[in-house]
Amino acid sequence: MAMIIDGRAVAREIQKQIKEEIDGLKRRWGMAPGLGVVLVGDDPASHLYVRNKEKMCKDVGIRSEEHLLPASVSERELLALIHNLNRNKEIHGILVQLPLPAHIRSNKVLDAVLPQKDVDGFHPYNQGLLLQGAEGGLRPCTPLGIMKLLDSIGCDPKGKNAVVVGRSNIVGKPVAVMLLERHATVTVCHSRTAQLKDEVGRGDILVVAIGKAGLVRGDWIKPGAVVIDVGSNRLPSGKFVGDVEFESAKDKASWISPVPGGVGPMTICMLLFNTLRAAKESLQRES
Ligand code: NDP
């Protein structure tokens, strides 16, 4: 029977360290990290995510500044706001809540965020640094959180077969690169993978980020594998479930992250981590 990877507990511990560091920054430099949050339109789920993020910022001492724009805002107006936030010395991180309305090119907006303030780690410059394995750069929150979860259970990817299902720019691809950087042998699967079940069955570490409830069956999993389920799917009943069939996977895996309570809390925690990092680096540049 697998042990549960408690993302909430790991996130709490990291948040405690973040808060201590921020208290130190305030004492020593009289400054608090600042996060500019940009939210366009009135999608209730996006508003809820933003409220949660802002609450967590407040808990650790990050100043968050909310910019609510109507769904009718033009791309030019939105870009003007981003440029203002880029110039604002009290803002160290910028978060643009996705999705944006269809008439706005998301890439154009995300690319306009200064890489040093790109706390989501989506900017091509930061993605390039990640691919090069270069020092510095801000890394995307969910993959960063996944690596912290592996560290929290003492799982060293070195020499292991890591299978990543999903190849999005925000989860699958960057987590595959991070696992490769930590010396795993990485296989990346996607919707055109011929024998998904066989590929999954080779994973000592299995990371699943698809967005389809229970698509990966428990009996596909290699006995003793460490399973990280990124999926977040709302069932008609309102319940949230992952992409992995949790009950049967528990019988095969050695460790498994639950949904909810696994990767989700880590994603927000890594946003706080990146904002603190961006603030510290801005202090270094100025001193
Ligand atoms: P995307 O939709 O961008 O990517 C999904 C990936 O899954 C694609 O690469 C797609 O392949 C692949 N895929 C789809 N169907 C299959 C299939 N039948 N077999 C194999 N691969 C398949 O999703 P995201 O990466 O943004 O998110 C994935 C999931 O993770 C979602 O449920 C999302 O809500 C959740 N998520 C959770 C987060 C958290 O903090 N908990 C954060 C981010 C995401 P192809 O490329 O070929 O289309």
Side-chain angles (χ1 to χ4, degrees), residues 142 166-168 170 190-192 209-212 215 230-232 264 267:
T142 303
R167 56 175 166 179
S168 69
I170 64 168
H190 45 79
S191 65
R192 271 73 146 196
I210 309 173
K212 290 190 176 151
L215 187 130
V230 186
S232 174
T267 297

Side-chain angles (χ1 to χ4, degrees), residues 71-226:
S72 59
V73 71
S74 70
E75 187 177 283
R76 197 133 67 99
E77 288 168 307
L78 182 52
L79 287 172
L81 170 63
I82 302 287
H83 292 311
N84 277 337
L85 292 171
N86 281 342
R87 279 193 294 268
N88 185 336
K89 282 197 176 328
E90 298 198 334
I91 292 293
H92 306 98
I94 300 173
L95 167 85
V96 181
Q97 182 65 43
L98 299 176
L100 292 172
H103 67 277
I104 294 176
R105 289 168 291 176
S106 300
N107 279 355
K108 182 117 180 134
V109 174
L110 296 179
D111 292 0
V113 173
L114 209 61
Q116 301 95 293
K117 297 192 177 190
D118 167 41
V119 284
D120 263 331
F122 293 163
H123 194 283
Y125 179 77
N126 283 321
Q127 293 193 342
L129 289 179
L130 169 63
L131 199 58
Q132 287 185 343
E135 286 286 313
L138 291 161
R139 295 184 162 199
C141 300
T142 303
L144 206 52
I146 293 169
M147 300 309 290
K148 299 260 183 208
L149 283 182
L150 293 176
D151 289 339
S152 78
I153 56 164
C155 172
D156 180 0
K158 185 173 168 184
K160 300 208 166 62
N161 283 332
V163 175
V164 178
V165 191
R167 56 175 166 179
S168 69
N169 286 335
I170 64 168
V171 189
K173 277 186 210 162
V175 82
V177 174
M178 290 182 198
L179 287 161
L180 189 61
E181 182 179 53
R182 297 279 299 274
H183 312 297
T185 303
V186 183
T187 303
V188 182
C189 305
H190 45 79
S191 65
R192 271 73 146 196
T193 295
Q195 301 295 339
L196 185 61
K197 174 178 181 236
D198 296 346
E199 301 294 352
V200 165
R202 279 189 270 278
D204 303 308
I205 298 172
L206 175 66
V207 178
V208 186
I210 309 173
K212 290 190 176 151
L215 187 130
V216 170
R217 300 213 341 233
D219 60 357
W220 296 1
I221 290 168
K222 181 173 177 178
V226 172

Side-chain angles (χ1 to χ4, degrees), residues 219-249:
D219 60 357
W220 296 1
I221 290 168
K222 181 173 177 178
V226 172
V227 178
I228 307 286
D229 190 352
V230 186
S232 174
N233 311 287
R234 198 190 191 110
L235 297 179
S237 64
K239 191 179 169 207
F240 276 98
V241 296
D243 292 339
V244 178
E245 227 179 44
F246 185 74
E247 286 308 320
S248 53

